[in-house]
């Protein structure tokens, strides 16, 4: 049976996590449809249609879905659910907000944050902040799933799927969007970056976080991450937080600067290909997971590293 | 105005959880149990709203075995007025908890429900959203700021890429993120007082909802371990390793 993926986008551009979610869907069925619900989102639909493995793009262009509120969106997904065995969304703040509503309305469990597909009804997902992996079997007729993007390689371009319009569902809004404060950045998206440079409390202040980490990120074309301690101390904004309750990342290279390596942080980055830790405390737990550890004062080592790149 | 706060009894935040040798589950024998940290934030927020005079009653609810009474007493020691235990000895998954909470909401008629965004045991991040859907209420997940008025709530949410502010009519569901507040420690006098606060027990099977688990866990395994790497001498050595050994830059 066919599988439906809920695309994440901002009406203009497709969010990278959608590519990984489609990759997970392909493991379940050769028949993958993608729902693009938004307002003025034709560009996004065209982008999705070019992705390998997508059979059909369903577009619902309606003001009700413009700000991606969970309530109307969940009803829309439910209205389309009859044709699908599995409904997938990314395990991002968008997917986590919407998909449980879909599951509840369909009276099925949600399988959260999967990192592996064993079979049509069996999935692997992390529990206890990634300290254990559970293999779960769903007995529900339909499976509602969120996908951890770092566990699936993104699909590539190179196809041209059919784009069809679909009907809006009960589109009554239940909340008003007052505003958004989005961090503007020329850097790559944290969840999809090939290199992440991440700072902790050791940086001492927002000013040094900026003056030490940003030049390094610029040199490497990296996204900037942070530990919870650095975010709570106000060095950087919350959307930089990597960890159990923040973003989960798995870049090719993760450079951890001035952070101890709390278990909740490790949960968010331990699947990175290469981990570098720079910390002056040789006993910091971060060194237990780092491929390369440099015991040094970050205020000397990082500028030196930046200058040598 | 009444606020309902669901609280979950979970393995304490500081416990390092280990997988059992037979890979059937994690080993929870004799480990410390506490209130889910995100639920503490939810209780704190509700109590603050009461202290501001906007909320008149804070009711803590826990679904699970009799031991959840401890969790409810902790919530009452923080300032919740009373507790409701929806007692069930079987495994309760998020959909089942959402259905039980729906039954409690229908009985109690709260104007607002504040709960943690996820529990630190199963990391599901579902219950609040599921309850909101079952009640057909609006939701504001991952809240970092809550402003409550008589008939509406305005919530700032932590989303990927920044912050979003939503306004919605009551009743509504709010789920808490880490930065909403810092929960207070219960003082000894308040812990003593909490012992005298009312705690009602409802048997889950009297609420007439299907709470059978839908997911069966067939295996719990250790994640692949990262072998600790090497210490490098200096920045030049690090660069050399990254360029020539790892080949990532």
């Amino acid at each position: 049976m066919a599988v439906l993926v809920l695309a994440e986008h901002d009406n203009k551009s497709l969010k990278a996590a959608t590519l990984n979610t489609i990759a997970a869907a392909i493991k379940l069925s050769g028949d993958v449809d993608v729902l693009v619900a938004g307002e003025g989102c034709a560009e996004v639909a065209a982008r999705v249609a070019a992705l390998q493995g997508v059979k059909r793009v369903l577009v619902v262009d309606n003001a009700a879905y413009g700000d991606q509120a969970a309530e109307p969106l969940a009803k829309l997904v439910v209205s389309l659910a009859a044709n699908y065995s599995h409904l997938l969304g990314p395990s991002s703040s968008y997917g986590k907000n919407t998909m449980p509503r879909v599951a509840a309305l369909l009276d099925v469990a949600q399988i959260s944050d999967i990192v592996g597909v064993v079979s049509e009804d069996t999935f692997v997902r992390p529990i206890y902040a990634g300290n254990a992996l559970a293999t779960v079997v769903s007995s529900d007729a339909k499976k509602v799933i969120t996908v951890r993007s770092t566990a699936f390689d993104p699909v590539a371009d190179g196809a041209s799927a059919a784009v069809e319009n679909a009907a809006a569902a009960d589109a009554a809004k239940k909340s008003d969007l007052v505003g958004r404060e989005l961090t503007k950045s020329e850097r790559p998206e944290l969840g999809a970056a090939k290199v992440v440079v991440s700072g902790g409390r050791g940086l001492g202040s927002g000013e040094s976080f900026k003056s030490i980490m940003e030049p390094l990120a610029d040199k490497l074309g990296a996204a900037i991450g942070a530990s919870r301690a650095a975010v709570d101390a106000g060095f950087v904004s919350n959307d930089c937080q990597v960890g159990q309750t923040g973003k989960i990342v798995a870049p090719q290279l993760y450079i951890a600067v001035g952070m101890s390596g709390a278990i909740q942080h490790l949960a968010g980055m331990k699947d990175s290909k290469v981990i570098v830790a720079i910390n002056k405390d040789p006993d910091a737990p971060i060194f237990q997971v780092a491929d390369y550890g440099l015991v040094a004062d970050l205020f000397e080592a990082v500028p030196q590293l930046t200058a040598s790149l | 105005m009444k606020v309902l706060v669901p609280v979950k009894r979970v393995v304490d935040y500081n416990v390092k959880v280990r997988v059992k040798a037979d890979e059937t589950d994690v080993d929870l024998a004799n480990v410390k149990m506490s209130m889910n940290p995100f639920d503490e934030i939810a209780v704190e927020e509700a109590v603050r709203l009461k202290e501001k005079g906007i909320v008149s009653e804070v009711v803590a609810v826990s679904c699970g075995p009799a031991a959840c009474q401890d969790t409810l007493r902790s919530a009452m020691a923080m300032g919740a007025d009373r507790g409701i235990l929806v007692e069930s000895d079987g495994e309760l998954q998020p959909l089942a908890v959402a259905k039980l909470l729906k039954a409690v909401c229908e009985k109690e008629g709260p104007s607002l429900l504040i709960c943690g965004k996820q529990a630190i045991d199963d990391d599901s991040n579902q219950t609040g959203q599921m309850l909101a859907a079952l009640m057909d209420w609006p939701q504001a997940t991952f809240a970092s700021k809550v402003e409550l008025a008589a008939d509406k709530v305005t919530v700032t949410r932590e989303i990927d890429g920044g912050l979003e502010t939503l306004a919605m009519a009551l009743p509504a569901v709010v789920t808490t993120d880490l930065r909403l507040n810092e929960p207070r420690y219960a003082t000894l006098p308040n812990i003593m007082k909490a012992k005298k606060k009312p705690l009602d027990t409802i048997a889950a099977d009297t609420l007439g909802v299907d709470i059978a688990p839908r997911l069966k866990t067939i295996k719990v395994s250790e994640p692949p371990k990262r072998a600790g790497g090497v210490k490098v001498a200096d920045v030049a050595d690090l660069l050399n390793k990254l360029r020539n050994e790892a080949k990532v830059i």
Side-chain angles (χ1 to χ4, degrees), chain B residues 65-83:
Chain B
C68 296
Q69 287 178 10
D70 296 345
T71 318
L72 289 167
R73 293 288 173 204
S74 305
M76 290 188 274
M78 289 175 70
D81 297 292
R82 59 188 172 95

PDB file of all heavy atoms in Angstrom, chain B residues 65-83:
ATOM      1  N   PRO B  65       0.700   3.143  38.304  1.00  0.00           N
ATOM      2  CA  PRO B  65       0.510   2.341  39.511  1.00  0.00           C
ATOM      3  C   PRO B  65       0.408   3.196  40.765  1.00  0.00           C
ATOM      4  O   PRO B  65       0.630   4.420  40.722  1.00  0.00           O
ATOM      5  CB  PRO B  65       1.769   1.468  39.543  1.00  0.00           C
ATOM      6  CG  PRO B  65       2.777   2.234  38.783  1.00  0.00           C
ATOM      7  CD  PRO B  65       2.030   2.994  37.733  1.00  0.00           C
ATOM      8  N   ALA B  66       0.105   2.547  41.893  1.00  0.00           N
ATOM      9  CA  ALA B  66      -0.097   3.264  43.161  1.00  0.00           C
ATOM     10  C   ALA B  66       1.100   4.129  43.536  1.00  0.00           C
ATOM     11  O   ALA B  66       0.952   5.167  44.180  1.00  0.00           O
ATOM     12  CB  ALA B  66      -0.391   2.255  44.266  1.00  0.00           C
ATOM     13  N   ALA B  67       2.308   3.720  43.096  1.00  0.00           N
ATOM     14  CA  ALA B  67       3.519   4.476  43.437  1.00  0.00           C
ATOM     15  C   ALA B  67       3.482   5.903  42.886  1.00  0.00           C
ATOM     16  O   ALA B  67       4.224   6.775  43.358  1.00  0.00           O
ATOM     17  CB  ALA B  67       4.749   3.742  42.909  1.00  0.00           C
ATOM     18  N   CYS B  68       2.624   6.158  41.912  1.00  0.00           N
ATOM     19  CA  CYS B  68       2.512   7.517  41.359  1.00  0.00           C
ATOM     20  C   CYS B  68       1.959   8.497  42.385  1.00  0.00           C
ATOM     21  O   CYS B  68       2.001   9.716  42.168  1.00  0.00           O
ATOM     22  CB  CYS B  68       1.623   7.527  40.121  1.00  0.00           C
ATOM     23  SG  CYS B  68       2.303   6.576  38.761  1.00  0.00           S
ATOM     24  N   GLN B  69       1.444   7.977  43.485  1.00  0.00           N
ATOM     25  CA  GLN B  69       1.014   8.872  44.569  1.00  0.00           C
ATOM     26  C   GLN B  69       2.180   9.744  45.029  1.00  0.00           C
ATOM     27  O   GLN B  69       1.988  10.911  45.361  1.00  0.00           O
ATOM     28  CB  GLN B  69       0.499   8.055  45.760  1.00  0.00           C
ATOM     29  CG  GLN B  69      -0.856   7.442  45.484  1.00  0.00           C
ATOM     30  CD  GLN B  69      -1.359   6.588  46.645  1.00  0.00           C
ATOM     31  OE1 GLN B  69      -0.787   6.603  47.725  1.00  0.00           O
ATOM     32  NE2 GLN B  69      -2.409   5.837  46.404  1.00  0.00           N
ATOM     33  N   ASP B  70       3.373   9.178  45.050  1.00  0.00           N
ATOM     34  CA  ASP B  70       4.558   9.959  45.444  1.00  0.00           C
ATOM     35  C   ASP B  70       4.745  11.153  44.514  1.00  0.00           C
ATOM     36  O   ASP B  70       5.087  12.253  44.946  1.00  0.00           O
ATOM     37  CB  ASP B  70       5.839   9.105  45.352  1.00  0.00           C
ATOM     38  CG  ASP B  70       5.813   7.939  46.325  1.00  0.00           C
ATOM     39  OD1 ASP B  70       4.968   7.956  47.237  1.00  0.00           O
ATOM     40  OD2 ASP B  70       6.627   7.013  46.154  1.00  0.00           O
ATOM     41  N   THR B  71       4.558  10.892  43.223  1.00  0.00           N
ATOM     42  CA  THR B  71       4.722  11.952  42.230  1.00  0.00           C
ATOM     43  C   THR B  71       3.676  13.042  42.451  1.00  0.00           C
ATOM     44  O   THR B  71       3.967  14.238  42.354  1.00  0.00           O
ATOM     45  CB  THR B  71       4.593  11.353  40.819  1.00  0.00           C
ATOM     46  OG1 THR B  71       5.286  10.109  40.780  1.00  0.00           O
ATOM     47  CG2 THR B  71       5.153  12.291  39.767  1.00  0.00           C
ATOM     48  N   LEU B  72       2.460  12.610  42.755  1.00  0.00           N
ATOM     49  CA  LEU B  72       1.393  13.586  43.014  1.00  0.00           C
ATOM     50  C   LEU B  72       1.693  14.385  44.287  1.00  0.00           C
ATOM     51  O   LEU B  72       1.463  15.599  44.322  1.00  0.00           O
ATOM     52  CB  LEU B  72       0.043  12.866  43.140  1.00  0.00           C
ATOM     53  CG  LEU B  72      -0.494  12.295  41.823  1.00  0.00           C
ATOM     54  CD1 LEU B  72      -1.664  11.340  42.089  1.00  0.00           C
ATOM     55  CD2 LEU B  72      -0.947  13.421  40.886  1.00  0.00           C
ATOM     56  N   ARG B  73       2.236  13.714  45.306  1.00  0.00           N
ATOM     57  CA  ARG B  73       2.595  14.442  46.534  1.00  0.00           C
ATOM     58  C   ARG B  73       3.693  15.462  46.233  1.00  0.00           C
ATOM     59  O   ARG B  73       3.699  16.568  46.778  1.00  0.00           O
ATOM     60  CB  ARG B  73       3.070  13.477  47.623  1.00  0.00           C
ATOM     61  CG  ARG B  73       2.009  12.537  48.160  1.00  0.00           C
ATOM     62  CD  ARG B  73       0.979  13.224  49.047  1.00  0.00           C
ATOM     63  NE  ARG B  73      -0.096  12.297  49.391  1.00  0.00           N
ATOM     64  CZ  ARG B  73      -1.323  12.667  49.733  1.00  0.00           C
ATOM     65  NH1 ARG B  73      -1.658  13.958  49.784  1.00  0.00           N
ATOM     66  NH2 ARG B  73      -2.234  11.785  50.028  1.00  0.00           N
ATOM     67  N   SER B  74       4.624  15.096  45.357  1.00  0.00           N
ATOM     68  CA  SER B  74       5.672  16.063  44.979  1.00  0.00           C
ATOM     69  C   SER B  74       5.053  17.282  44.318  1.00  0.00           C
ATOM     70  O   SER B  74       5.442  18.421  44.585  1.00  0.00           O
ATOM     71  CB  SER B  74       6.672  15.444  43.993  1.00  0.00           C
ATOM     72  OG  SER B  74       7.213  14.273  44.498  1.00  0.00           O
ATOM     73  N   ALA B  75       4.078  17.039  43.442  1.00  0.00           N
ATOM     74  CA  ALA B  75       3.409  18.159  42.760  1.00  0.00           C
ATOM     75  C   ALA B  75       2.668  19.025  43.776  1.00  0.00           C
ATOM     76  O   ALA B  75       2.685  20.260  43.698  1.00  0.00           O
ATOM     77  CB  ALA B  75       2.439  17.626  41.703  1.00  0.00           C
ATOM     78  N   MET B  76       2.049  18.384  44.758  1.00  0.00           N
ATOM     79  CA  MET B  76       1.307  19.144  45.777  1.00  0.00           C
ATOM     80  C   MET B  76       2.266  19.893  46.689  1.00  0.00           C
ATOM     81  O   MET B  76       1.962  20.991  47.167  1.00  0.00           O
ATOM     82  CB  MET B  76       0.374  18.209  46.545  1.00  0.00           C
ATOM     83  CG  MET B  76      -0.780  17.735  45.659  1.00  0.00           C
ATOM     84  SD  MET B  76      -2.064  16.822  46.550  1.00  0.00           S
ATOM     85  CE  MET B  76      -1.402  15.174  46.527  1.00  0.00           C
ATOM     86  N   ALA B  77       3.457  19.311  46.919  1.00  0.00           N
ATOM     87  CA  ALA B  77       4.459  20.011  47.732  1.00  0.00           C
ATOM     88  C   ALA B  77       4.960  21.262  47.006  1.00  0.00           C
ATOM     89  O   ALA B  77       5.372  22.234  47.626  1.00  0.00           O
ATOM     90  CB  ALA B  77       5.616  19.079  48.051  1.00  0.00           C
ATOM     91  N   MET B  78       4.918  21.232  45.674  1.00  0.00           N
ATOM     92  CA  MET B  78       5.312  22.424  44.906  1.00  0.00           C
ATOM     93  C   MET B  78       4.193  23.464  44.879  1.00  0.00           C
ATOM     94  O   MET B  78       4.435  24.617  44.518  1.00  0.00           O
ATOM     95  CB  MET B  78       5.661  22.033  43.465  1.00  0.00           C
ATOM     96  CG  MET B  78       6.956  21.250  43.331  1.00  0.00           C
ATOM     97  SD  MET B  78       7.215  20.717  41.621  1.00  0.00           S
ATOM     98  CE  MET B  78       7.569  22.300  40.829  1.00  0.00           C
ATOM     99  N   GLY B  79       2.974  23.033  45.189  1.00  0.00           N
ATOM    100  CA  GLY B  79       1.886  24.012  45.245  1.00  0.00           C
ATOM    101  C   GLY B  79       0.577  23.599  44.591  1.00  0.00           C
ATOM    102  O   GLY B  79      -0.396  24.356  44.629  1.00  0.00           O
ATOM    103  N   ALA B  80       0.525  22.409  43.993  1.00  0.00           N
ATOM    104  CA  ALA B  80      -0.754  21.943  43.445  1.00  0.00           C
ATOM    105  C   ALA B  80      -1.730  21.740  44.598  1.00  0.00           C
ATOM    106  O   ALA B  80      -1.336  21.376  45.705  1.00  0.00           O
ATOM    107  CB  ALA B  80      -0.564  20.644  42.671  1.00  0.00           C
ATOM    108  N   ASP B  81      -3.021  22.002  44.337  1.00  0.00           N
ATOM    109  CA  ASP B  81      -4.011  21.966  45.414  1.00  0.00           C
ATOM    110  C   ASP B  81      -4.475  20.562  45.755  1.00  0.00           C
ATOM    111  O   ASP B  81      -4.789  20.262  46.886  1.00  0.00           O
ATOM    112  CB  ASP B  81      -5.225  22.818  45.014  1.00  0.00           C
ATOM    113  CG  ASP B  81      -4.827  24.264  44.850  1.00  0.00           C
ATOM    114  OD1 ASP B  81      -4.489  24.892  45.867  1.00  0.00           O
ATOM    115  OD2 ASP B  81      -4.817  24.763  43.706  1.00  0.00           O
ATOM    116  N   ARG B  82      -4.585  19.722  44.730  1.00  0.00           N
ATOM    117  CA  ARG B  82      -4.997  18.342  44.987  1.00  0.00           C
ATOM    118  C   ARG B  82      -4.479  17.437  43.884  1.00  0.00           C
ATOM    119  O   ARG B  82      -3.966  17.906  42.867  1.00  0.00           O
ATOM    120  CB  ARG B  82      -6.513  18.234  45.134  1.00  0.00           C
ATOM    121  CG  ARG B  82      -7.309  18.694  43.930  1.00  0.00           C
ATOM    122  CD  ARG B  82      -8.802  18.722  44.277  1.00  0.00           C
ATOM    123  NE  ARG B  82      -9.551  19.335  43.197  1.00  0.00           N
ATOM    124  CZ  ARG B  82     -10.154  18.646  42.217  1.00  0.00           C
ATOM    125  NH1 ARG B  82     -10.078  17.338  42.181  1.00  0.00           N
ATOM    126  NH2 ARG B  82     -10.820  19.286  41.283  1.00  0.00           N
ATOM    127  N   GLY B  83      -4.643  16.139  44.114  1.00  0.00           N
ATOM    128  CA  GLY B  83      -4.126  15.176  43.153  1.00  0.00           C
ATOM    129  C   GLY B  83      -5.175  14.154  42.771  1.00  0.00           C
ATOM    130  O   GLY B  83      -6.082  13.859  43.552  1.00  0.00           O
TER     131      GLY B  83
END
